[in-house]
Amino acid sequence: MSGYILALKYWDSIPDLKRLKGFYLKRVFRLYPLVIITSTFLLLIEVFTYYNLKDFKNDPISLYEISLRYLNDIFLVNSTNILGAHSMNIPSWSISAEFFCYLIFGIFLLYFKNLKQFLNVLLLSFIAFSLTQEYSFPTFSFGFIRGIISFLVGVILFKSTILKNFKINKYHQYIVIIIFSLSLYLLNLKIYFIAKILSIFLPFFFAFTIHIILNSNGILTRFLTNPIVTKIGNLSFSIYLNHFVVVLITPRVLFEIIKIPNIPIYQIIVFILCPLIVILISKFTNKYIEVKFNKYLRDRFICE
């Protein structure tokens, strides 16, 4: 999705280094502040629990490990194995992968856009590299490769002439749902060679899904254009980075500190409560960090 949207917006908008710098700054201002805030908040929680509530953690980690995880997030290298640790805020690994995508995409638009088939060669090179890895869906080792493949497929979708000539109708959306459900089932089997095949197939499948949704009016299109879903979609980045914090803290506070009985009825209530808390927090971070603070940074540092 990111590859398609950014290609749609920037394909003819980066003719020189000044615009390239502006492109990179916009992406940093858009994503990085919330990464810092959520990861720093989790750092404080981890340090506090290390000294005061270590017994409440299923898998306590050392201060050294906490430090590595935080540095991974702050330096946006948690989709690699450079520091040999996972993320502090686990979902932020994909933000790291996104920044690797932006780096390649900006350079490509400025220097290589006019070279025929360069994009396809680049994509095939990353696919070939991913096939050499032991795991088919890596996150904290070569997650940036997984991200780049999906990103480039989105860019190619934007430039594709083959798909534009493919006749689409609303019933194709049911086929998409069936294939996606089958893929999830196959992944759950945890069979190595199937996971390998799906790791290459799924990015292309998702690209085709985007094309179908944009060019037909089936069940998926109607669902995604529902006003409630659209409003949640506007909060999606904040929801993505905030949800781990809420899911990590809320059940432990309620069940282990406040001592609410850990029985099914209360588990269901907490299960419902967590998304509501995430959405409430995300409305705040979207308004004041994603929108207002982003606007301040752009007005302060980008001259257009």
Side-chain angles (χ1 to χ4, degrees), residues 51-70:
Y51 285 107
N52 299 283
L53 298 170
K54 190 180 291 187
D55 293 340
F56 287 98
K57 298 193 66 176
N58 294 331
D59 185 23
I61 57 177
S62 66
L63 287 176
Y64 175 74
E65 180 72 11
I66 291 171
S67 300
L68 281 183
R69 293 187 179 195
Y70 183 67

Side-chain angles (χ1 to χ4, degrees), residues 3 197 263:
I197 293 171
I263 58 178

Side-chain angles (χ1 to χ4, degrees), residues 28-193:
V28 169
F29 296 160
R30 172 70 178 85
L31 303 180
Y32 194 52
L34 193 56
V35 170
I36 293 177
I37 289 170
T38 53
S39 295
T40 300
F41 182 77
L42 276 167
L43 170 69
L44 297 176
I45 294 295
E46 287 286 357
V47 172
F48 177 79
T49 55
Y50 179 84
Y51 285 107
N52 299 283
L53 298 170
K54 190 180 291 187
D55 293 340
F56 287 98
K57 298 193 66 176
N58 294 331
D59 185 23
I61 57 177
S62 66
L63 287 176
Y64 175 74
E65 180 72 11
I66 291 171
S67 300
L68 281 183
R69 293 187 179 195
Y70 183 67
L71 291 175
N72 254 328
D73 286 16
I74 296 304
F75 290 123
L76 296 173
V77 293
N78 48 8
S79 63
T80 74
N81 58 0
I82 291 175
L83 296 180
H86 292 182
S87 295
M88 178 63 68
N89 185 14
I90 288 177
S92 69
W93 77 267
S94 66
I95 310 303
S96 166
E98 285 257 341
F99 274 100
F100 280 100
C101 294
Y102 300 151
L103 179 65
I104 291 175
F105 181 64
I107 293 172
F108 166 77
L109 287 184
L110 185 58
Y111 296 109
F112 301 103
K113 185 177 70 172
N114 295 324
L115 296 180
K116 278 190 173 182
Q117 302 303 322
F118 181 82
L119 200 61
N120 294 331
V121 171
L122 194 63
L123 174 62
L124 290 173
S125 299
F126 282 112
I127 289 175
F129 178 82
S130 71
L131 290 173
T132 67
Q133 302 307 303
E134 181 178 356
Y135 300 105
S136 301
F137 290 89
T139 51
F140 304 114
S141 55
F142 289 99
F144 69 100
I145 298 296
R146 169 181 164 185
I148 289 171
I149 290 172
S150 297
F151 187 92
L152 291 178
V153 170
V155 176
I156 291 172
L157 170 65
F158 169 75
K159 295 298 294 180
S160 173
T161 56
I162 297 175
L163 285 179
K164 290 177 182 177
N165 297 323
F166 185 84
K167 293 182 179 180
I168 301 293
N169 63 60
K170 63 181 181 180
Y171 298 108
H172 284 104
Q173 299 199 9
Y174 292 102
I175 297 175
V176 164
I177 294 171
I178 293 170
I179 294 176
F180 181 62
S181 301
L182 178 61
S183 297
L184 290 179
Y185 170 75
L186 292 173
L187 282 174
N188 192 56
L189 296 178
K190 297 180 180 179
I191 299 175
Y192 179 74
F193 77 92

